Amino acid sequence: MQSLRRAWSWLRRRQQEDQGPQLSAEDMGYYTENSFFSAREVAVLYKKFHAMCKEGWNVLTHEDLTSIEEMLANPFAPRILELFSEDGSGFLTFEKFVNMAGVFSAKSPPEVKMIWAFALWDFDGDDVIGDESLADDLKQGISLITQTDESSNPSALATLGEEQIDEVVSRVLQEIDPNNYGLNYADFRKVLQRMPDFINNFHMNFIA
Amino acid sequence: MALKNDNKNVGNAREEVFDTISTTEAAESTKRYQISRAAAKAKGRITLLGLDHVRENKKNKGLWALLEDRMQQVLDPDKLDKAKDWFERNKDSFSIWTSTLKSIEGKFGSAVMVTFEFLRFVFLLNVILSSMWIVFIVFPFFARPPDSYSWHLLESRQSKKDHYLDSTWFFYGGYNYTSGEQKGWYRTDYMYTVIIGMTLFVTLAAVLGRMAVRIMGSGDYTNAYTGAGYPFATAILANWDFHLTTLESSSNLKRGIRMRLHEMLADCAEIQQEIATTDKKKLYKRNVALFLLFPLLMISTVAAVIFLVSKQATIDSSLRFMEGFAQPFLLAAVNISSPRLIRMLVQMEDWKPSTADQGHCFIGRLYVVIEQARVAKEGSSMKACHSGKCKDGLICCLEKDAYESVWPTCRPSKIGYCVADCADNAVAKLLLELIISSTLIDNAVEGAKGYFVLYYFKHRQQMAIEDMPIRVVYIQAVVWVASMFSPIAATLGAICNCVSFLSLKEVLMRTCAPMEKAYSASSTSDITYGLLLITLILSSIPIVFRLTSPSSGICGPVKEGLSSYQVIANYIELYFCELRYHKCTAQCN
């Protein structure tokens, strides 16, 4: 009987070691109260966070984050990481990592997604997506989502030319900011409300 | 002097470097300041709107909150909390194929994932319906089978040939309970009707619930979608699919967005593809395809479906080697080949269709199930045999058969008339065979096409995700109607959905490339669930028709001349009579 008990407690210890680092009960309670995730999901995120961190570090750097699966193919990854680091450093603590995962999760309300999407496009942080920066930012955005390295297929349609990008930018501005006043959050929200695909697409699943 | 100049130059260079460094640092510092401001404003806005009260937002609202409150009053709150925690921790284990869907989402985008998720939804729905049928209809059969059933039936297969399953729990005809055979409150005659009603009700609740969750999740603007108002803004701001996790899928989507922008710019510049009137060959090809071949294809498809449905006996006798499966196989073949021929015609005349090309085949398929229900009804009316021949689906009752038939249809009193051999069972077999053959053929064709293109043309095809939901909804319509005639229809539907999911997933992963076209995931989802809802409403028409039609009494639990609706009405009346009787007795005492 004693040997059985010893074997059982050894198995439990091994199981806990295999599970990796764990959050304290207090921290777990804090994250489950203040995020969209359940306790199990927070545990999964914590495990993932520590698996990505360099040894001895408690923050994720830009290099660590851009290597994860969800960010690999995302051209907006650098901007997302800078924004959610909240100070532009690109370093994420676990709390900020949970916040980022929460915003992109399916449980997050559409309003939260739109607020952060607005922040994504508000490059100068003045709470208005201004007309000058909007044109530049749109050009950058268009390049991110259209340009690929297709040197093996150099057809005319492989890239968008400078003139074509300018044409697209001017048409987008005509649609969403015809008076060149810039877009505040309310205007931006009205535009996104007419694009339900935005809510569906602004979603990354960090919980395996 | 030279040294002085050199020092000056070095000094200038150093100044320039320092200026560059300080400019870079200043720019970096400004950028960080701007980012921190943007992030702070976002968090402030979330706090202002109360969206940071996550715990309160997580709580159930409305009816669920009321139910939860009541449960807490009745049950031990600690146990309830423990049960809730256990469910929260383990709820992901209840949902199947989650990792598969995530993998599909990462490689092929959200529109493809939504289509497979719809297939999973239909599978789970069929599992629930199947459980209902097994618990309330099949288990009671095993507990107390009717006198017409023998446990040695399956052993005597040789003597019964085709009809050895007819008296079993597989089919409606097997539930041949006579009056007085079932004791107690449970009666198969009314319970069968109740479960048919529950099937429709549960499906309706599930579909409406799913649609409500989608609408609540994305807000009222789901209904106000006017992508047409912001075509360029939509293409830039809303088309990037953040689900994608592989470089290949990302590259494909970028290519798709580029192509779309090229087309939109071309449209804006009013460059149209005009077929030159001097190019007569192209013009003739277009006109022949549009005005001759296309109508011909429509008419021939409709004629083929009508022929296959109404001449089943003729087809079975001609194709003896496919006995029993000939008609469903040929129907499935027509339904698969017709849309593909349409696509070929479309390419001939340079026309860009929507999924409407599947529409006429879908209507044809619904016609099949409605026709089967009509045949079942026709089995109950009697017509005299002329020269020993009857309409397809009926047999001429001859004197030699009058005393040996499996079902009491060919009785001495009906010699010389066209009678049916438990038409309900015949229809059930046809519909179940249709489910099986459609599933197998659809999946086999998809797989064969994918592997052929991969190995012969050495490139990966794009899966036609717009066709998949229509096939799924079609199978489900047949399952609903077949449930009237066989309690195992939902079980078979679930098995077929599972087979479809797994085989299509394999075909997708091995032979398909990520989508180039930027599909709208929200529109895909709206269309699929909307189509399922409309099909449910249309499928309920033959179901209601059958439940209100009088039974032939040849087989099944409902007596001759009574309809299923009347059976329920009689039981309700009997129940209230008994209630009144007991009340009166109690008062008198």
Side-chain angles (χ1 to χ4, degrees):
Chain A
M1 195 65 184
Q2 265 193 346
S3 54
L4 272 172
R5 271 200 221 112
R6 262 188 254 129
W8 175 249
S9 51
W10 177 80
L11 270 169
R12 287 296 302 264
R13 256 184 282 121
R14 277 297 303 271
Q15 203 182 26
Q16 276 166 5
E17 279 166 12
D18 288 344
Q19 281 172 1
Q22 297 201 3
L23 275 170
S24 63
E26 198 185 327
D27 288 341
M28 181 64 83
Y30 171 76
Y31 287 117
T32 49
E33 295 241 345
N34 293 289
S35 75
F36 299 107
F37 299 114
S38 64
R40 191 198 74 85
E41 288 164 339
V42 171
V44 168
L45 283 173
Y46 192 69
K47 201 174 165 184
K48 195 166 185 172
F49 179 81
H50 275 278
M52 289 189 294
C53 281
K54 292 186 183 59
E55 207 171 319
W57 285 52
N58 272 337
V59 287
L60 286 174
T61 62
H62 189 270
E63 289 78 28
D64 299 330
L65 285 160
T66 46
S67 63
I68 63 174
E69 196 188 9
E70 286 80 4
M71 295 293 193
L72 261 177
N74 193 339
F76 295 102
R79 175 66 186 165
I80 289 170
L81 298 174
E82 284 171 356
L83 183 67
F84 282 94
S85 67
E86 295 177 21
D87 57 4
S89 61
F91 293 148
L92 292 188
T93 60
F94 181 62
E95 188 174 352
K96 292 172 186 172
F97 179 70
V98 169
N99 181 39
M100 181 179 74
V103 167
F104 283 103
S105 77
K107 297 180 183 182
S108 155
E111 194 71 44
V112 168
K113 289 185 191 289
M114 285 194 285
I115 288 170
W116 282 102
F118 179 75
L120 208 65
W121 285 92
D122 182 16
F123 284 87
D124 53 8
D126 63 351
D127 218 26
V128 172
I129 303 176
D131 58 344
E132 281 176 15
S133 65
L134 180 56
D136 292 334
D137 300 335
L138 280 173
K139 272 191 193 172
Q140 200 181 356
I142 291 167
S143 300
L144 285 174
I145 63 172
T146 55
Q147 311 297 40
T148 52
D149 179 25
E150 286 189 299
S151 49
S152 57
N153 183 21
S155 69
L157 300 175
T159 56
L160 281 176
E162 201 59 42
E163 278 180 18
Q164 287 169 317
I165 293 179
D166 289 338
E167 173 78 19
V168 170
V169 166
S170 73
R171 291 206 175 266
V172 173
L173 289 173
Q174 270 174 31
E175 287 171 6
I176 64 176
D177 185 23
N179 301 321
N180 284 335
Y181 291 154
L183 294 177
N184 59 17
Y185 174 67
D187 298 329
F188 185 75
R189 189 173 176 274
K190 261 189 219 164
V191 170
L192 289 190
Q193 274 181 340
R194 291 177 175 270
M195 300 175 193
D197 278 333
F198 165 77
I199 301 295
N200 282 319
N201 289 339
F202 199 76
H203 169 224
M204 286 191 274
N205 191 359
F206 288 89
I207 312 283
Chain B
M1 189 68 172
L3 190 60
K4 228 183 177 178
N5 280 340
D6 280 348
N7 281 342
K8 200 178 173 186
N9 287 339
V10 166
N12 286 342
R14 201 180 289 155
E15 270 179 28
E16 275 176 22
V17 166
F18 281 141
D19 281 345
T20 310
I21 291 171
S22 60
T23 309
T24 311
E25 276 178 0
E28 188 64 32
S29 170
T30 308
K31 185 184 167 192
R32 283 198 180 185
Y33 172 68
Q34 288 167 345
I35 290 171
S36 62
R37 261 206 322 183
K41 289 220 185 313
K43 291 180 86 172
R45 190 163 278 124
I46 288 171
T47 308
L48 199 67
L49 293 173
L51 295 167
D52 58 343
H53 297 141
V54 176
R55 188 168 173 78
E56 283 176 20
N57 291 335
K58 270 184 190 173
K59 278 187 189 166
N60 291 323
K61 295 185 177 67
L63 181 65
W64 289 116
L66 188 66
L67 282 172
E68 201 181 328
D69 197 40
R70 289 283 179 270
M71 277 170 68
Q72 276 186 333
Q73 287 173 9
V74 170
L75 302 172
D76 180 4
D78 283 338
K79 281 187 185 166
L80 195 62
D81 282 338
K82 277 182 188 166
K84 274 173 70 178
D85 282 338
W86 179 86
F87 182 71
E88 273 298 314
R89 279 198 309 274
N90 293 295
K91 69 178 177 183
D92 286 344
S93 329
F94 299 136
S95 63
I96 60 167
W97 298 327
T98 311
S99 55
T100 305
L101 288 175
K102 190 182 176 222
S103 169
I104 291 172
E105 183 185 66
K107 289 181 182 156
F108 298 94
S110 48
V112 178
M113 188 276 291
V114 155
T115 310
F116 275 83
E117 205 269 337
F118 173 71
L119 181 52
R120 183 181 73 164
F121 168 79
V122 173
F123 165 72
L124 292 172
L125 176 66
N126 277 330
V127 167
I128 293 170
L129 297 178
S130 169
S131 313
M132 261 173 22
W133 280 99
I134 290 172
V135 166
F136 290 107
I137 300 294
V138 177
F139 277 167
F141 181 97
F142 281 108
R144 178 105 174 74
D147 293 338
S148 60
Y149 177 75
S150 164
W151 290 103
H152 302 291
L153 216 60
L154 295 177
E155 292 168 10
S156 59
R157 179 179 167 174
Q158 280 303 314
S159 62
K160 301 293 178 194
K161 282 202 175 180
D162 293 334
H163 300 287
Y164 72 98
L165 285 177
D166 279 18
S167 300
T168 66
W169 45 272
F170 278 87
F171 301 115
Y172 176 83
Y175 295 81
N176 223 15
Y177 291 96
T178 52
S179 117
E181 233 184 304
Q182 287 180 300
K183 308 282 183 223
W185 63 272
Y186 181 90
R187 300 271 196 279
T188 308
D189 53 359
Y190 75 78
M191 191 54 89
Y192 205 99
T193 313
V194 166
I195 299 302
I196 290 173
M198 286 294 294
T199 298
L200 298 178
F201 177 74
V202 165
T203 307
L204 183 68
V207 174
L208 288 179
R210 181 56 76 102
M211 290 172 85
V213 163
R214 259 198 47 77
I215 290 169
M216 283 192 302
S218 35
D220 292 334
Y221 25 82
T222 311
N223 298 324
Y225 175 66
T226 52
Y230 298 107
F232 282 93
T234 307
I236 301 304
L237 296 177
N239 265 353
W240 184 261
D241 193 345
F242 283 73
H243 296 105
L244 299 178
T245 56
T246 62
L247 289 170
E248 190 194 354
S249 54
S250 166
S251 177
N252 268 28
L253 182 58
K254 286 180 183 180
R255 192 182 313 130
I257 293 174
R258 261 201 319 274
M259 302 303 236
R260 194 166 168 198
L261 288 173
H262 276 296
E263 282 173 21
M264 287 161 72
L265 288 172
D267 286 342
C268 289
E270 292 178 0
I271 296 169
Q272 289 174 356
Q273 277 187 354
E274 284 179 2
I275 297 174
T277 49
T278 53
D279 192 348
K280 285 187 179 170
K281 222 179 184 179
K282 250 186 177 174
L283 191 64
Y284 286 143
K285 193 180 77 169
R286 188 168 194 271
N287 287 338
V288 163
L290 193 58
F291 297 114
L292 185 63
L293 295 179
F294 189 68
L296 211 61
L297 182 61
M298 294 293 108
I299 293 164
S300 55
T301 306
V302 169
V305 169
I306 292 173
F307 174 79
L308 288 172
V309 168
S310 54
K311 300 289 176 195
Q312 183 193 353
T314 313
I315 293 162
D316 277 342
S317 57
S318 310
L319 298 171
R320 283 184 200 282
F321 65 95
M322 289 176 67
E323 196 175 346
F325 272 88
Q327 191 210 44
F329 181 84
L330 290 171
L331 273 171
V334 166
N335 287 325
I336 287 164
S337 56
S338 185
R340 282 166 173 78
L341 286 172
I342 287 175
R343 285 211 176 83
M344 281 171 57
L345 287 183
V346 152
Q347 279 167 11
M348 275 177 70
E349 52 112 0
D350 300 321
W351 174 47
K352 308 261 180 300
S354 64
T355 344
D357 64 343
Q358 283 270 12
H360 79 283
C361 282
F362 185 65
I363 292 169
R365 289 166 173 185
L366 278 182
Y367 165 74
V368 168
V369 295
I370 292 169
E371 178 67 11
Q372 301 312 327
R374 189 192 66 76
V375 165
K377 183 184 180 298
E378 189 152 319
S380 65
S381 64
M382 287 203 313
K383 289 180 184 154
C385 305
H386 294 295
S387 8
K389 283 185 184 169
C390 287
K391 228 176 147 178
D392 280 316
L394 304 172
I395 53 167
C396 187
C397 182
L398 302 172
E399 196 170 342
K400 66 178 177 67
D401 297 321
Y403 300 96
E404 291 173 4
S405 182
V406 176
W407 303 107
T409 51
C410 186
R411 298 170 195 155
S413 58
K414 294 186 183 173
I415 293 170
Y417 287 97
C418 291
V419 295
D421 249 357
C422 193
D424 305 79
N425 283 7
V427 171
K429 282 179 208 167
L430 178 70
L431 293 177
L432 295 181
E433 285 161 6
L434 197 58
I435 294 170
I436 296 170
S437 54
S438 292
T439 303
L440 293 177
I441 293 172
D442 280 345
N443 292 326
V445 166
E446 278 298 326
K449 196 176 67 144
Y451 281 107
F452 178 75
V453 169
L454 182 67
Y455 288 113
Y456 196 73
F457 294 106
K458 302 276 188 270
H459 85 269
R460 289 171 173 249
Q461 61 168 353
Q462 302 257 306
M463 183 169 261
I465 60 167
E466 61 271 19
D467 295 346
M468 230 176 94
I470 293 183
R471 290 201 294 264
V472 172
V473 170
Y474 161 65
I475 301 269
Q476 195 55 29
V478 180
V479 165
W480 287 324
V481 175
S483 296
M484 288 193 291
F485 305 103
S486 170
I488 63 159
T491 311
L492 190 63
I495 294 169
C496 290
N497 292 145
C498 184
V499 165
S500 294
F501 187 99
L502 296 173
S503 68
L504 287 173
K505 181 208 89 177
E506 284 303 312
V507 169
L508 180 76
M509 293 297 197
R510 289 176 195 273
T511 69
C512 294
M515 311 303 289
E516 281 191 9
K517 189 175 170 183
Y519 274 98
S520 164
S522 63
S523 298
T524 307
S525 197
D526 290 341
I527 288 168
T528 50
Y529 289 100
L531 186 62
L532 191 64
L533 188 63
I534 291 168
T535 308
L536 175 67
I537 294 166
L538 290 175
S539 302
S540 64
I541 297 170
I543 293 172
V544 166
F545 178 74
R546 171 163 161 81
L547 293 180
T548 51
S549 302
S551 165
S552 62
I554 298 167
C555 52
V558 179
K559 282 187 222 167
E560 185 177 354
L562 276 181
S563 68
S564 301
Y565 166 74
Q566 276 171 326
V567 167
I568 299 269
N570 289 347
Y571 272 113
I572 291 173
E573 202 180 323
L574 188 68
Y575 171 75
F576 279 113
C577 277
E578 282 186 7
L579 202 64
R580 273 200 299 268
Y581 172 75
H582 285 304
K583 249 186 165 175
C584 285
T585 315
Q587 277 172 0
C588 290
N589 290 342

